[in-house]
Amino acid sequence: MPRWLPLPSIPYPPEKVGYWGPITSTLNWCEEDYYATVYSAEIVNALTNLMFMWLGVKGIRNCRRYGHDSIFSVAYCGYLVVGAGSFLFHSTLKYPMQLVDELSMIYTTCLMCYASFSYSRSFTVRLALAVFLTGLAVFITLYYHYLQDPVFHQNAYALLTTVVVLRSMFTMEATLRPSLRHSTEADRLMRQRQGLPVPSKERQSYENERDLKILRSMWFMVAYGLSMFLGGFAIWNLDNHFCSTLRVWRRTIGLPWGIALEGHGWWHLMTGMGAYLYIIWGIWLRHCLNNQQEEYYLWWPHFWNFPEIIRKGSGENTIQDTEQAKKSR
């Protein structure tokens, strides 16, 4: 331990022969293999996936508890499989586990794509969309298995994610921005002249203010989630490009402090949070599309908490929940 680091530490153990045998994956990350235990090839990269698994279970339970649409329960199942697959991949560095890890990311994003584009569509359109996305997922699976090129998977995942996020942004603005959904005073008067149902001026003003408040919270969530994704991606790239230097630094400062320099582990934590925020955003947006802003609210007292969409009057609200509900009215 260098003298300028007064904290106690222990030296990194040497790499061992792994329980899972020879490495067959096409990727191997910067964390040294089997240094902590023979049962986990990359223990930090494996354990950081426990957050995925915990949040996946939490999300499934919340969907059942608060009556969120079933498509989001399926999405949380996919999110859980991503975490479990990544845990097994980093524990074993076996090619089949690599496929479970990487392809489950594609499948979960396809589910969110369906949720984003299928709302209020006819049965024919929803069926065509489901067939298209299933075919796309099968094509990516077979072509990736043929190429075995991680860059193809990364580009496919990035493209799908970009499409889904941009679509959700458009839907959010079109649904909640008063000037885009014809909820201004001029639109109200026009509907009145045409003999169409018109809410009172006070009611319209209240709804506009409510939805703008929701919109601001959603944009903060989007910005925060994207920052987590991009920050994790930047750390992951630093981990790839400066791996040899980072390994020297980790062995210099010793355990447990060297764990903080495991860049791929940070990628798991940050993208896990970003993906969780995206599903929460999707749930809240779906309730707004269903005109249920009065029935559900966002519980997120601090940015370091894991937010939830909660049904008002569910009987399970804490004092903090009640206060949050008052603020959202």
Tab-separated table of all heavy atoms in Angstrom, residues 146-203:
chain	number	residue	atom	x	y	z
A	146	TYR	N	-24.209	-16.091	-36.063
A	146	TYR	CA	-23.380	-16.381	-37.239
A	146	TYR	C	-22.112	-15.532	-37.225
A	146	TYR	O	-21.002	-16.036	-37.426
A	146	TYR	CB	-24.185	-16.130	-38.509
A	146	TYR	CG	-23.358	-16.114	-39.766
A	146	TYR	CD1	-22.843	-17.292	-40.317
A	146	TYR	CD2	-23.082	-14.905	-40.418
A	146	TYR	CE1	-22.073	-17.275	-41.466
A	146	TYR	CE2	-22.317	-14.874	-41.562
A	146	TYR	CZ	-21.812	-16.054	-42.090
A	146	TYR	OH	-21.043	-16.031	-43.225
A	147	LEU	N	-22.253	-14.232	-36.969
A	147	LEU	CA	-21.092	-13.328	-36.992
A	147	LEU	C	-20.208	-13.498	-35.763
A	147	LEU	O	-18.983	-13.411	-35.860
A	147	LEU	CB	-21.558	-11.873	-37.056
A	147	LEU	CG	-22.118	-11.323	-38.357
A	147	LEU	CD1	-22.490	-9.855	-38.171
A	147	LEU	CD2	-21.105	-11.461	-39.480
A	148	GLN	N	-20.857	-13.646	-34.598
A	148	GLN	CA	-20.173	-13.638	-33.298
A	148	GLN	C	-19.326	-12.375	-33.140
A	148	GLN	O	-18.206	-12.409	-32.633
A	148	GLN	CB	-19.324	-14.905	-33.118
A	148	GLN	CG	-20.138	-16.173	-33.082
A	148	GLN	CD	-19.361	-17.387	-32.625
A	148	GLN	OE1	-18.220	-17.283	-32.168
A	148	GLN	NE2	-19.977	-18.553	-32.715
A	149	ASP	N	-19.905	-11.271	-33.591
A	149	ASP	CA	-19.231	-9.970	-33.524
A	149	ASP	C	-19.982	-9.081	-32.528
A	149	ASP	O	-21.114	-8.653	-32.810
A	149	ASP	CB	-19.214	-9.315	-34.899
A	149	ASP	CG	-18.476	-7.980	-34.902
A	149	ASP	OD1	-17.947	-7.590	-33.833
A	149	ASP	OD2	-18.424	-7.335	-35.969
A	150	PRO	N	-19.401	-8.796	-31.375
A	150	PRO	CA	-20.098	-7.983	-30.373
A	150	PRO	C	-20.496	-6.600	-30.881
A	150	PRO	O	-21.472	-6.025	-30.388
A	150	PRO	CB	-19.081	-7.880	-29.228
A	150	PRO	CG	-18.177	-9.055	-29.412
A	150	PRO	CD	-18.094	-9.272	-30.888
A	151	VAL	N	-19.766	-6.058	-31.851
A	151	VAL	CA	-20.092	-4.731	-32.371
A	151	VAL	C	-21.477	-4.737	-33.021
A	151	VAL	O	-22.242	-3.771	-32.901
A	151	VAL	CB	-19.016	-4.263	-33.373
A	151	VAL	CG1	-19.411	-2.922	-34.000
A	151	VAL	CG2	-17.671	-4.123	-32.667
A	152	PHE	N	-21.822	-5.828	-33.716
A	152	PHE	CA	-23.147	-5.927	-34.324
A	152	PHE	C	-24.231	-5.880	-33.249
A	152	PHE	O	-25.226	-5.160	-33.387
A	152	PHE	CB	-23.267	-7.227	-35.134
A	152	PHE	CG	-24.674	-7.527	-35.577
A	152	PHE	CD1	-25.249	-6.817	-36.615
A	152	PHE	CD2	-25.433	-8.501	-34.924
A	152	PHE	CE1	-26.562	-7.073	-37.010
A	152	PHE	CE2	-26.733	-8.770	-35.317
A	152	PHE	CZ	-27.299	-8.050	-36.368
A	153	HIS	N	-24.044	-6.634	-32.187
A	153	HIS	CA	-25.028	-6.621	-31.100
A	153	HIS	C	-25.140	-5.235	-30.486
A	153	HIS	O	-26.251	-4.731	-30.239
A	153	HIS	CB	-24.642	-7.630	-30.020
A	153	HIS	CG	-25.351	-7.412	-28.724
A	153	HIS	ND1	-24.799	-6.664	-27.692
A	153	HIS	CD2	-26.577	-7.803	-28.293
A	153	HIS	CE1	-25.652	-6.620	-26.692
A	153	HIS	NE2	-26.728	-7.300	-27.025
A	154	GLN	N	-24.015	-4.592	-30.237
A	154	GLN	CA	-24.023	-3.278	-29.599
A	154	GLN	C	-24.727	-2.251	-30.473
A	154	GLN	O	-25.505	-1.417	-29.981
A	154	GLN	CB	-22.590	-2.853	-29.278
A	154	GLN	CG	-21.945	-3.692	-28.177
A	154	GLN	CD	-20.429	-3.600	-28.162
A	154	GLN	OE1	-19.849	-2.748	-28.843
A	154	GLN	NE2	-19.773	-4.474	-27.407
A	155	ASN	N	-24.486	-2.296	-31.794
A	155	ASN	CA	-25.142	-1.357	-32.706
A	155	ASN	C	-26.639	-1.616	-32.803
A	155	ASN	O	-27.445	-0.675	-32.836
A	155	ASN	CB	-24.500	-1.438	-34.096
A	155	ASN	CG	-23.104	-0.847	-34.129
A	155	ASN	OD1	-22.755	-0.014	-33.297
A	155	ASN	ND2	-22.294	-1.276	-35.082
A	156	ALA	N	-27.028	-2.901	-32.850
A	156	ALA	CA	-28.451	-3.234	-32.917
A	156	ALA	C	-29.176	-2.773	-31.655
A	156	ALA	O	-30.275	-2.199	-31.722
A	156	ALA	CB	-28.615	-4.741	-33.112
A	157	TYR	N	-28.562	-3.002	-30.502
A	157	TYR	CA	-29.167	-2.588	-29.242
A	157	TYR	C	-29.276	-1.061	-29.167
A	157	TYR	O	-30.317	-0.518	-28.763
A	157	TYR	CB	-28.344	-3.120	-28.078
A	157	TYR	CG	-28.806	-2.635	-26.731
A	157	TYR	CD1	-30.024	-3.047	-26.197
A	157	TYR	CD2	-28.030	-1.751	-25.985
A	157	TYR	CE1	-30.459	-2.596	-24.966
A	157	TYR	CE2	-28.451	-1.294	-24.747
A	157	TYR	CZ	-29.665	-1.715	-24.239
A	157	TYR	OH	-30.090	-1.254	-23.014
A	158	ALA	N	-28.207	-0.361	-29.579
A	158	ALA	CA	-28.217	1.103	-29.534
A	158	ALA	C	-29.292	1.672	-30.460
A	158	ALA	O	-30.002	2.621	-30.095
A	158	ALA	CB	-26.843	1.646	-29.918
A	159	LEU	N	-29.439	1.092	-31.663
A	159	LEU	CA	-30.437	1.586	-32.606
A	159	LEU	C	-31.850	1.362	-32.084
A	159	LEU	O	-32.698	2.271	-32.130
A	159	LEU	CB	-30.249	0.881	-33.954
A	159	LEU	CG	-31.224	1.296	-35.067
A	159	LEU	CD1	-31.090	2.787	-35.359
A	159	LEU	CD2	-30.972	0.477	-36.328
A	160	LEU	N	-32.133	0.166	-31.574
A	160	LEU	CA	-33.458	-0.119	-31.024
A	160	LEU	C	-33.788	0.809	-29.849
A	160	LEU	O	-34.894	1.349	-29.755
A	160	LEU	CB	-33.529	-1.572	-30.567
A	160	LEU	CG	-33.818	-2.636	-31.626
A	160	LEU	CD1	-33.619	-4.029	-31.036
A	160	LEU	CD2	-35.228	-2.486	-32.175
A	161	THR	N	-32.815	0.988	-28.971
A	161	THR	CA	-33.030	1.846	-27.800
A	161	THR	C	-33.303	3.282	-28.223
A	161	THR	O	-34.192	3.951	-27.673
A	161	THR	CB	-31.811	1.788	-26.868
A	161	THR	OG1	-31.596	0.435	-26.448
A	161	THR	CG2	-32.021	2.669	-25.647
A	162	THR	N	-32.567	3.779	-29.213
A	162	THR	CA	-32.762	5.144	-29.696
A	162	THR	C	-34.156	5.326	-30.265
A	162	THR	O	-34.840	6.323	-29.984
A	162	THR	CB	-31.710	5.487	-30.762
A	162	THR	OG1	-30.402	5.364	-30.197
A	162	THR	CG2	-31.906	6.901	-31.274
A	163	VAL	N	-34.614	4.365	-31.065
A	163	VAL	CA	-35.959	4.442	-31.647
A	163	VAL	C	-37.021	4.487	-30.556
A	163	VAL	O	-37.954	5.317	-30.589
A	163	VAL	CB	-36.202	3.243	-32.592
A	163	VAL	CG1	-37.672	3.164	-32.989
A	163	VAL	CG2	-35.328	3.356	-33.835
A	164	VAL	N	-36.894	3.612	-29.552
A	164	VAL	CA	-37.896	3.543	-28.488
A	164	VAL	C	-37.914	4.831	-27.663
A	164	VAL	O	-38.982	5.374	-27.354
A	164	VAL	CB	-37.621	2.327	-27.585
A	164	VAL	CG1	-38.540	2.340	-26.370
A	164	VAL	CG2	-37.818	1.033	-28.356
A	165	VAL	N	-36.736	5.345	-27.320
A	165	VAL	CA	-36.668	6.563	-26.497
A	165	VAL	C	-37.232	7.757	-27.260
A	165	VAL	O	-38.004	8.558	-26.705
A	165	VAL	CB	-35.217	6.821	-26.054
A	165	VAL	CG1	-35.091	8.201	-25.417
A	165	VAL	CG2	-34.766	5.758	-25.057
A	166	LEU	N	-36.870	7.912	-28.536
A	166	LEU	CA	-37.379	9.037	-29.313
A	166	LEU	C	-38.895	8.959	-29.479
A	166	LEU	O	-39.591	9.976	-29.414
A	166	LEU	CB	-36.693	9.081	-30.682
A	166	LEU	CG	-35.209	9.471	-30.674
A	166	LEU	CD1	-34.645	9.429	-32.086
A	166	LEU	CD2	-35.009	10.857	-30.069
A	167	ARG	N	-39.409	7.747	-29.713
A	167	ARG	CA	-40.852	7.580	-29.824
A	167	ARG	C	-41.544	7.958	-28.519
A	167	ARG	O	-42.588	8.636	-28.527
A	167	ARG	CB	-41.180	6.125	-30.190
A	167	ARG	CG	-42.644	5.755	-30.100
A	167	ARG	CD	-43.502	6.513	-31.089
A	167	ARG	NE	-44.908	6.152	-30.964
A	167	ARG	CZ	-45.865	6.611	-31.758
A	167	ARG	NH1	-45.558	7.446	-32.738
A	167	ARG	NH2	-47.120	6.239	-31.572
A	168	SER	N	-40.989	7.558	-27.401
A	168	SER	CA	-41.587	7.880	-26.108
A	168	SER	C	-41.537	9.381	-25.837
A	168	SER	O	-42.484	9.945	-25.265
A	168	SER	CB	-40.874	7.109	-24.996
A	168	SER	OG	-41.034	5.715	-25.175
A	169	MET	N	-40.452	10.042	-26.241
A	169	MET	CA	-40.366	11.493	-26.084
A	169	MET	C	-41.467	12.192	-26.877
A	169	MET	O	-42.126	13.121	-26.387
A	169	MET	CB	-38.998	11.989	-26.542
A	169	MET	CG	-37.853	11.654	-25.628
A	169	MET	SD	-36.287	12.261	-26.324
A	169	MET	CE	-35.139	11.819	-25.004
A	170	PHE	N	-41.661	11.744	-28.121
A	170	PHE	CA	-42.708	12.332	-28.958
A	170	PHE	C	-44.081	12.125	-28.329
A	170	PHE	O	-44.893	13.065	-28.251
A	170	PHE	CB	-42.665	11.700	-30.353
A	170	PHE	CG	-43.836	12.072	-31.221
A	170	PHE	CD1	-43.863	13.288	-31.883
A	170	PHE	CD2	-44.920	11.207	-31.359
A	170	PHE	CE1	-44.950	13.649	-32.675
A	170	PHE	CE2	-46.008	11.561	-32.149
A	170	PHE	CZ	-46.016	12.780	-32.808
A	171	THR	N	-44.354	10.911	-27.869
A	171	THR	CA	-45.646	10.607	-27.258
A	171	THR	C	-45.858	11.438	-25.997
A	171	THR	O	-46.959	11.951	-25.746
A	171	THR	CB	-45.733	9.108	-26.920
A	171	THR	OG1	-45.529	8.347	-28.109
A	171	THR	CG2	-47.086	8.759	-26.326
A	172	MET	N	-44.817	11.587	-25.200
A	172	MET	CA	-44.903	12.363	-23.972
A	172	MET	C	-45.277	13.816	-24.263
A	172	MET	O	-46.184	14.382	-23.646
A	172	MET	CB	-43.562	12.297	-23.234
A	172	MET	CG	-43.474	13.155	-21.989
A	172	MET	SD	-41.855	13.003	-21.183
A	172	MET	CE	-40.782	13.807	-22.386
A	173	GLU	N	-44.588	14.429	-25.218
A	173	GLU	CA	-44.874	15.823	-25.559
A	173	GLU	C	-46.282	15.968	-26.147
A	173	GLU	O	-47.022	16.877	-25.782
A	173	GLU	CB	-43.829	16.332	-26.553
A	173	GLU	CG	-42.501	16.707	-25.915
A	173	GLU	CD	-42.604	18.012	-25.127
A	173	GLU	OE1	-43.337	18.925	-25.556
A	173	GLU	OE2	-41.951	18.118	-24.069
A	174	ALA	N	-46.649	15.080	-27.057
A	174	ALA	CA	-47.954	15.176	-27.702
A	174	ALA	C	-49.098	14.957	-26.718
A	174	ALA	O	-50.195	15.499	-26.886
A	174	ALA	CB	-48.053	14.160	-28.838
A	175	THR	N	-48.845	14.168	-25.661
A	175	THR	CA	-49.892	13.853	-24.692
A	175	THR	C	-50.034	14.919	-23.616
A	175	THR	O	-51.149	15.251	-23.206
A	175	THR	CB	-49.593	12.497	-24.020
A	175	THR	OG1	-49.499	11.482	-25.024
A	175	THR	CG2	-50.679	12.123	-23.022
A	176	LEU	N	-48.916	15.489	-23.179
A	176	LEU	CA	-48.935	16.337	-21.993
A	176	LEU	C	-48.714	17.826	-22.263
A	176	LEU	O	-49.101	18.654	-21.440
A	176	LEU	CB	-47.876	15.855	-20.995
A	176	LEU	CG	-48.131	14.463	-20.417
A	176	LEU	CD1	-46.921	13.995	-19.606
A	176	LEU	CD2	-49.377	14.439	-19.557
A	177	ARG	N	-48.113	18.188	-23.371
A	177	ARG	CA	-47.871	19.601	-23.665
A	177	ARG	C	-49.188	20.244	-24.116
A	177	ARG	O	-49.728	19.899	-25.163
A	177	ARG	CB	-46.819	19.740	-24.751
A	177	ARG	CG	-46.447	21.168	-25.109
A	177	ARG	CD	-45.552	21.824	-24.107
A	177	ARG	NE	-44.270	21.118	-23.991
A	177	ARG	CZ	-43.341	21.432	-23.085
A	177	ARG	NH1	-43.578	22.414	-22.219
A	177	ARG	NH2	-42.219	20.764	-23.025
A	178	PRO	N	-49.746	21.194	-23.333
A	178	PRO	CA	-51.063	21.754	-23.684
A	178	PRO	C	-51.127	22.333	-25.092
A	178	PRO	O	-52.118	22.162	-25.792
A	178	PRO	CB	-51.257	22.840	-22.615
A	178	PRO	CG	-50.458	22.368	-21.446
A	178	PRO	CD	-49.258	21.693	-22.044
A	179	SER	N	-50.077	22.992	-25.528
A	179	SER	CA	-50.103	23.616	-26.850
A	179	SER	C	-50.105	22.596	-27.981
A	179	SER	O	-50.482	22.912	-29.107
A	179	SER	CB	-48.900	24.549	-27.013
A	179	SER	OG	-47.682	23.815	-26.845
A	180	LEU	N	-49.692	21.346	-27.679
A	180	LEU	CA	-49.653	20.304	-28.708
A	180	LEU	C	-50.888	19.421	-28.683
A	180	LEU	O	-51.173	18.731	-29.671
A	180	LEU	CB	-48.395	19.443	-28.526
A	180	LEU	CG	-47.059	20.151	-28.717
A	180	LEU	CD1	-45.904	19.178	-28.496
A	180	LEU	CD2	-46.959	20.757	-30.111
A	181	ARG	N	-51.602	19.404	-27.587
A	181	ARG	CA	-52.811	18.560	-27.520
A	181	ARG	C	-54.080	19.414	-27.533
A	181	ARG	O	-55.139	18.986	-27.095
A	181	ARG	CB	-52.787	17.672	-26.275
A	181	ARG	CG	-52.714	18.374	-24.934
A	181	ARG	CD	-52.725	17.349	-23.809
A	181	ARG	NE	-52.415	17.915	-22.518
A	181	ARG	CZ	-53.303	18.503	-21.714
A	181	ARG	NH1	-54.550	18.614	-22.096
A	181	ARG	NH2	-52.924	18.988	-20.535
A	182	HIS	N	-53.960	20.640	-28.071
A	182	HIS	CA	-55.120	21.513	-28.272
A	182	HIS	C	-55.859	21.773	-26.961
A	182	HIS	O	-57.066	21.577	-26.869
A	182	HIS	CB	-56.075	20.904	-29.304
A	182	HIS	CG	-55.411	20.530	-30.589
A	182	HIS	ND1	-54.856	21.467	-31.428
A	182	HIS	CD2	-55.187	19.321	-31.164
A	182	HIS	CE1	-54.344	20.860	-32.482
A	182	HIS	NE2	-54.508	19.558	-32.343
A	183	SER	N	-55.101	22.223	-25.977
A	183	SER	CA	-55.708	22.511	-24.681
A	183	SER	C	-55.481	23.959	-24.262
A	183	SER	O	-55.533	24.294	-23.095
A	183	SER	CB	-55.125	21.572	-23.602
A	183	SER	OG	-55.429	20.240	-23.905
A	184	THR	N	-55.246	24.820	-25.225
A	184	THR	CA	-55.067	26.235	-24.916
A	184	THR	C	-56.436	26.916	-24.868
A	184	THR	O	-57.469	26.351	-25.239
A	184	THR	CB	-54.183	26.908	-25.973
A	184	THR	OG1	-54.845	26.817	-27.244
A	184	THR	CG2	-52.828	26.231	-26.064
A	185	GLU	N	-56.461	28.167	-24.449
A	185	GLU	CA	-57.716	28.915	-24.371
A	185	GLU	C	-58.336	29.080	-25.753
A	185	GLU	O	-59.553	28.960	-25.919
A	185	GLU	CB	-57.451	30.288	-23.734
A	185	GLU	CG	-58.665	31.178	-23.626
A	185	GLU	CD	-59.749	30.607	-22.720
A	185	GLU	OE1	-59.454	29.678	-21.939
A	185	GLU	OE2	-60.891	31.101	-22.795
A	186	ALA	N	-57.518	29.321	-26.766
A	186	ALA	CA	-58.048	29.485	-28.125
A	186	ALA	C	-58.716	28.194	-28.612
A	186	ALA	O	-59.784	28.237	-29.240
A	186	ALA	CB	-56.919	29.893	-29.072
A	187	ASP	N	-58.091	27.054	-28.329
A	187	ASP	CA	-58.695	25.780	-28.730
A	187	ASP	C	-59.996	25.527	-27.981
A	187	ASP	O	-60.963	24.992	-28.538
A	187	ASP	CB	-57.707	24.637	-28.472
A	187	ASP	CG	-56.480	24.731	-29.350
A	187	ASP	OD1	-56.639	24.937	-30.559
A	187	ASP	OD2	-55.368	24.590	-28.814
A	188	ARG	N	-60.039	25.931	-26.714
A	188	ARG	CA	-61.251	25.731	-25.923
A	188	ARG	C	-62.402	26.537	-26.504
A	188	ARG	O	-63.537	26.042	-26.640
A	188	ARG	CB	-60.982	26.138	-24.471
A	188	ARG	CG	-62.031	25.670	-23.471
A	188	ARG	CD	-61.718	26.184	-22.088
A	188	ARG	NE	-61.940	27.622	-22.018
A	188	ARG	CZ	-63.145	28.169	-21.804
A	188	ARG	NH1	-64.213	27.410	-21.633
A	188	ARG	NH2	-63.284	29.473	-21.759
A	189	LEU	N	-62.147	27.792	-26.881
A	189	LEU	CA	-63.175	28.635	-27.466
A	189	LEU	C	-63.621	28.114	-28.829
A	189	LEU	O	-64.805	28.191	-29.186
A	189	LEU	CB	-62.667	30.071	-27.578
A	189	LEU	CG	-62.408	30.797	-26.250
A	189	LEU	CD1	-61.783	32.161	-26.491
A	189	LEU	CD2	-63.704	30.927	-25.454
A	190	MET	N	-62.671	27.578	-29.605
A	190	MET	CA	-63.021	27.021	-30.910
A	190	MET	C	-63.962	25.831	-30.765
A	190	MET	O	-64.956	25.701	-31.493
A	190	MET	CB	-61.756	26.604	-31.661
A	190	MET	CG	-62.016	26.066	-33.073
A	190	MET	SD	-60.477	25.618	-33.915
A	190	MET	CE	-59.683	27.228	-34.016
A	191	ARG	N	-63.669	24.952	-29.813
A	191	ARG	CA	-64.542	23.806	-29.576
A	191	ARG	C	-65.919	24.280	-29.105
A	191	ARG	O	-66.946	23.692	-29.466
A	191	ARG	CB	-63.919	22.885	-28.523
A	191	ARG	CG	-62.683	22.141	-29.003
A	191	ARG	CD	-62.075	21.294	-27.881
A	191	ARG	NE	-63.001	20.287	-27.404
A	191	ARG	CZ	-63.138	19.074	-27.947
A	191	ARG	NH1	-62.409	18.732	-28.992
A	191	ARG	NH2	-64.001	18.204	-27.444
A	192	GLN	N	-65.954	25.354	-28.332
A	192	GLN	CA	-67.220	25.890	-27.839
A	192	GLN	C	-68.074	26.406	-29.001
A	192	GLN	O	-69.274	26.163	-29.054
A	192	GLN	CB	-66.951	27.007	-26.833
A	192	GLN	CG	-68.167	27.466	-26.062
A	192	GLN	CD	-67.802	28.468	-24.992
A	192	GLN	OE1	-66.901	29.294	-25.192
A	192	GLN	NE2	-68.466	28.397	-23.847
A	193	ARG	N	-67.452	27.108	-29.971
A	193	ARG	CA	-68.183	27.616	-31.131
A	193	ARG	C	-68.709	26.486	-32.012
A	193	ARG	O	-69.729	26.624	-32.673
A	193	ARG	CB	-67.276	28.542	-31.947
A	193	ARG	CG	-67.053	29.910	-31.292
A	193	ARG	CD	-66.462	30.879	-32.294
A	193	ARG	NE	-65.133	30.461	-32.733
A	193	ARG	CZ	-64.007	30.855	-32.170
A	193	ARG	NH1	-64.043	31.664	-31.109
A	193	ARG	NH2	-62.839	30.442	-32.629
A	194	GLN	N	-67.980	25.367	-32.024
A	194	GLN	CA	-68.387	24.227	-32.849
A	194	GLN	C	-69.402	23.333	-32.151
A	194	GLN	O	-69.844	22.333	-32.724
A	194	GLN	CB	-67.150	23.399	-33.244
A	194	GLN	CG	-66.183	24.141	-34.139
A	194	GLN	CD	-64.891	23.365	-34.368
A	194	GLN	OE1	-64.621	22.377	-33.678
A	194	GLN	NE2	-64.092	23.811	-35.328
A	195	GLY	N	-69.770	23.678	-30.927
A	195	GLY	CA	-70.760	22.898	-30.206
A	195	GLY	C	-70.219	21.602	-29.635
A	195	GLY	O	-70.998	20.688	-29.318
A	196	LEU	N	-68.901	21.499	-29.487
A	196	LEU	CA	-68.289	20.289	-28.949
A	196	LEU	C	-68.175	20.394	-27.430
A	196	LEU	O	-68.175	21.513	-26.873
A	196	LEU	CB	-66.897	20.088	-29.568
A	196	LEU	CG	-66.870	19.905	-31.091
A	196	LEU	CD1	-65.431	19.885	-31.600
A	196	LEU	CD2	-67.598	18.629	-31.498
A	197	PRO	N	-68.055	19.263	-26.725
A	197	PRO	CA	-67.897	19.312	-25.260
A	197	PRO	C	-66.643	20.092	-24.874
A	197	PRO	O	-65.562	19.865	-25.425
A	197	PRO	CB	-67.771	17.837	-24.866
A	197	PRO	CG	-68.392	17.084	-25.986
A	197	PRO	CD	-68.126	17.883	-27.231
A	198	VAL	N	-66.799	20.996	-23.951
A	198	VAL	CA	-65.687	21.866	-23.544
A	198	VAL	C	-65.612	21.887	-22.024
A	198	VAL	O	-66.620	22.163	-21.358
A	198	VAL	CB	-65.873	23.303	-24.063
A	198	VAL	CG1	-64.697	24.176	-23.642
A	198	VAL	CG2	-66.018	23.304	-25.568
A	199	PRO	N	-64.451	21.592	-21.454
A	199	PRO	CA	-64.317	21.718	-19.990
A	199	PRO	C	-64.346	23.186	-19.586
A	199	PRO	O	-64.079	24.072	-20.403
A	199	PRO	CB	-62.945	21.088	-19.713
A	199	PRO	CG	-62.188	21.255	-20.993
A	199	PRO	CD	-63.197	21.146	-22.093
A	200	SER	N	-64.672	23.414	-18.364
A	200	SER	CA	-64.683	24.797	-17.889
A	200	SER	C	-63.282	25.391	-17.962
A	200	SER	O	-62.279	24.672	-18.015
A	200	SER	CB	-65.197	24.849	-16.445
A	200	SER	OG	-64.256	24.233	-15.580
A	201	LYS	N	-63.235	26.711	-17.951
A	201	LYS	CA	-61.937	27.388	-18.028
A	201	LYS	C	-61.064	27.014	-16.836
A	201	LYS	O	-59.856	26.813	-16.967
A	201	LYS	CB	-62.157	28.896	-18.079
A	201	LYS	CG	-60.901	29.706	-18.295
A	201	LYS	CD	-61.223	31.179	-18.448
A	201	LYS	CE	-59.950	31.989	-18.682
A	201	LYS	NZ	-60.255	33.442	-18.847
A	202	GLU	N	-61.694	26.927	-15.664
A	202	GLU	CA	-60.935	26.580	-14.464
A	202	GLU	C	-60.406	25.150	-14.547
A	202	GLU	O	-59.249	24.886	-14.170
A	202	GLU	CB	-61.816	26.725	-13.225
A	202	GLU	CG	-62.209	28.149	-12.883
A	202	GLU	CD	-63.289	28.696	-13.814
A	202	GLU	OE1	-63.918	27.873	-14.531
A	202	GLU	OE2	-63.496	29.920	-13.825
A	203	ARG	N	-61.264	24.237	-15.042
A	203	ARG	CA	-60.824	22.846	-15.156
A	203	ARG	C	-59.705	22.711	-16.173
A	203	ARG	O	-58.723	21.987	-15.945
A	203	ARG	CB	-62.014	21.965	-15.571
A	203	ARG	CG	-61.663	20.480	-15.742
A	203	ARG	CD	-61.254	19.859	-14.433
A	203	ARG	NE	-60.732	18.504	-14.633
A	203	ARG	CZ	-60.304	17.735	-13.646
A	203	ARG	NH1	-60.309	18.182	-12.389
A	203	ARG	NH2	-59.857	16.518	-13.890
